[in-house]
Amino acid sequence: MSKKLPSLSRRTLLLAGATVPLAGCQMHYGLNFDTVKTSLAVSTGLENAPGITLEQASQIPYASIGYRIGSSQEYILVLASTIAGSLLWTAADHRALVTANGRVTRSAGFEWNLGETSFAQPDPVQTGLQQMTTNVLLVRSLDLRDIDRFGVSVQSTFTPIGKTKVSILGGDLDVLEVHEDCRCDELDWSFQNVFWADTASGFIWRSVQNIHPNLDP
């Protein structure tokens, strides 16, 4: 798998008035995609660019995150809705991610997708990685509908690495780096997620996350 880091950053202005519910197994969109396409023009024609720039990000009048898959170019998703505490991020090409306090829990529109995530106990990513001082164990289950696997168990160990800094859109942030080493015996799948959490609030400013065995981080 590629080790390029998918940059995840947040802006503060929400997309007002959007209705974007999750229904059944599909994600349905109530966005005005002409507006979104205009605001996302900065994410096209960037195949040789290292990532979204501050100038490009400032053209988008909505809360947004940047992402890349493996070594691909970086794209932007805008915040469409909040759903029971989770955030739904979408783009005009119908790609979408659902996050819960920084953890990707669902996806749609990618070549391979994460259908659902369930936790056997509280997820340290959601309860606050800034509080972590020792290793923590977690068990969760994944639905991977596109390969007909449901309730696939993943065991993981969180290890706090230490305080460091990350640079996002030209700004340096103090963060705690935490590694999540994961093992899925059913699929013979081992992988590592990396989170950079705000040292005060635990907000996830950047992460590397694996959501499907057939998809790069």
Side-chain angles (χ1 to χ4, degrees):
M1 285 188 175
S2 168
K3 296 301 182 182
K4 283 272 186 124
L5 305 184
S7 175
L8 296 176
S9 57
R10 183 177 71 170
R11 299 196 60 222
T12 56
L13 182 62
L14 304 186
L15 173 57
T19 302
V20 193
L22 297 179
C25 297
Q26 302 296 323
M27 294 185 181
H28 299 282
Y29 309 96
L31 293 174
N32 180 337
F33 277 122
D34 288 336
T35 300
V36 176
K37 283 179 181 178
T38 299
S39 65
L40 292 184
V42 298
S43 68
T44 62
L46 297 175
E47 295 188 9
N48 296 318
I52 302 299
T53 66
L54 177 60
E55 181 181 2
Q56 292 167 331
S58 66
Q59 297 177 35
I60 302 173
Y62 312 123
S64 59
I65 59 175
Y67 79 92
R68 72 172 87 240
I69 298 175
S71 59
S72 72
Q73 69 189 77
E74 187 174 13
Y75 293 92
I76 287 179
L77 298 175
V78 297
L79 181 62
S81 182
T82 60
I83 307 161
S86 294
L87 304 179
L88 174 59
W89 308 89
T90 67
D93 62 2
H94 289 225
R95 289 188 178 189
L97 294 174
V98 174
T99 62
N101 294 327
R103 164 88 71 179
V104 177
T105 59
R106 297 183 67 180
S107 71
F110 296 90
E111 183 179 3
W112 302 95
N113 289 285
L114 172 59
E116 196 68 69
T117 305
S118 302
F119 298 93
Q121 66 257 24
D123 180 11
V125 176
Q126 299 180 37
T127 58
L129 293 178
Q130 82 280 12
Q131 305 175 47
M132 186 174 294
T133 57
T134 60
N135 291 4
V136 176
L137 304 179
L138 174 71
V139 178
R140 66 185 184 276
S141 61
L142 310 178
D143 286 354
L144 304 170
R145 298 185 179 94
D146 45 19
I147 59 172
D148 292 323
R149 297 296 183 95
F150 300 88
V152 175
S153 179
V154 176
Q155 298 82 39
S156 61
T157 301
F158 288 85
T159 304
I161 302 303
K163 293 182 179 180
T164 185
K165 290 183 180 291
V166 294
S167 179
I168 296 179
L169 299 178
D172 290 332
L173 301 166
D174 293 318
V175 294
L176 173 67
E177 180 176 333
V178 177
H179 292 182
E180 182 190 17
D181 293 295
C182 308
R183 174 67 187 173
C184 175
D185 291 332
E186 183 177 338
L187 301 178
D188 192 24
W189 179 30
S190 295
F191 57 95
Q192 183 184 78
N193 295 332
V194 183
F195 298 92
W196 288 271
D198 189 279
T199 55
S201 67
F203 179 82
I204 305 300
W205 285 107
R206 177 173 290 164
S207 67
V208 178
Q209 299 188 52
N210 295 260
I211 65 171
H212 198 287
N214 294 337
L215 191 70
D216 280 345

